[in-house]
């Protein structure tokens, strides 16, 4: 009975050792679902980097964000709350800098992620929703 914790450690070990399937660099665009937002703001360029531990960093539109871990207790999908250093689009009259990204499990080599462009992380009835159309980049992560 001295090592009662050993089975739990054996189960937990592989869970922490697994890397996220989307580990690496991705590039593409953020496409809005709503026609009005798509016409007003257009597609925004996106550059993402997922680290092996699941942290996400990169750029969305005109704004960059620091490495951010997914919210604990969520998933799937994994939820990231990103605060951009500049508004996502210079054409956005609301100058929104808050982005919520939802990453849904997908086959290796693909990334299925939606985003919400918001004025704040709390309830925002005028947020715009869209999809990240990105492809993996070759090279080291």
């Amino acid at each position: 009975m001295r090592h009662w914790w050993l089975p739990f450690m054996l189960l937990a070990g592989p869970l922490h050792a697994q890397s996220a399937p989307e580990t690496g660099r991705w590039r593409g665009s953020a496409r809005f679902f709503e026609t009005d937002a798509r016409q007003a703001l257009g597609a925004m360029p996106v550059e993402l980097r997922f680290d092996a531990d699941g942290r996400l960093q990169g750029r969305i539109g005109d704004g960059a964000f620091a490495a951010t871990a997914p919210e604990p207790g969520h998933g799937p999908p994994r939820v990231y709350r990103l605060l951009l250093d500049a508004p996502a689009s210079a054409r956005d009259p609301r100058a929104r800098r808050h982005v919520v990204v939802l990453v849904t499990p997908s086959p290796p080599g693909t990334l299925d992620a939606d985003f919400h462009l918001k004025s704040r992380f709390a309830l925002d009835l005028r947020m715009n929703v869209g999809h990240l159309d990105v492809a993996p980049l070759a090279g080291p992560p």
Side-chain angles (χ1 to χ4, degrees), residues 67-78:
T68 305
E71 287 189 356
H74 285 275
R78 283 196 322 274

Side-chain angles (χ1 to χ4, degrees), residues 29-33 46 48 50 56 60 77-82 99-105 111-117 128-134:
S29 63
R31 169 182 48 89
F32 291 100
F33 293 144
V46 174
L48 305 173
F50 286 91
L56 171 63
I60 297 178
R78 283 196 322 274
V79 177
Y80 293 88
R81 290 178 184 242
L82 312 173
V99 181
V100 176
V101 173
L102 299 101
V103 178
T104 304
L111 180 67
D112 185 11
D114 290 331
F115 72 95
H116 301 173
L117 179 60
N128 292 112
V129 180
H131 189 76
L132 299 179
D133 297 322
V134 294

Side-chain angles (χ1 to χ4, degrees), residues 34-139:
E34 298 99 1
T35 304
D36 292 342
R38 195 175 325 134
Q39 289 174 348
L41 304 176
M44 297 182 299
V46 174
E47 290 185 26
L48 305 173
R49 187 180 98 194
F50 286 91
D51 295 332
D53 64 357
R55 295 175 68 83
L56 171 63
Q57 67 182 354
R59 300 187 66 80
I60 297 178
D62 298 329
F65 57 93
T68 305
E71 287 189 356
H74 285 275
R78 283 196 322 274
V79 177
Y80 293 88
R81 290 178 184 242
L82 312 173
L83 181 60
L84 304 177
D85 64 357
S89 174
R91 296 184 286 175
D92 184 2
R94 295 172 53 205
R96 293 172 289 182
R97 300 176 353 147
H98 296 77
V99 181
V100 176
V101 173
L102 299 101
V103 178
T104 304
S106 56
T110 63
L111 180 67
D112 185 11
D114 290 331
F115 72 95
H116 301 173
L117 179 60
K118 306 175 76 167
S119 296
R120 58 183 181 219
F121 287 128
L123 179 64
D124 181 0
L125 297 177
R126 297 187 327 164
M127 72 178 173
N128 292 112
V129 180
H131 189 76
L132 299 179
D133 297 322
V134 294
L137 296 174

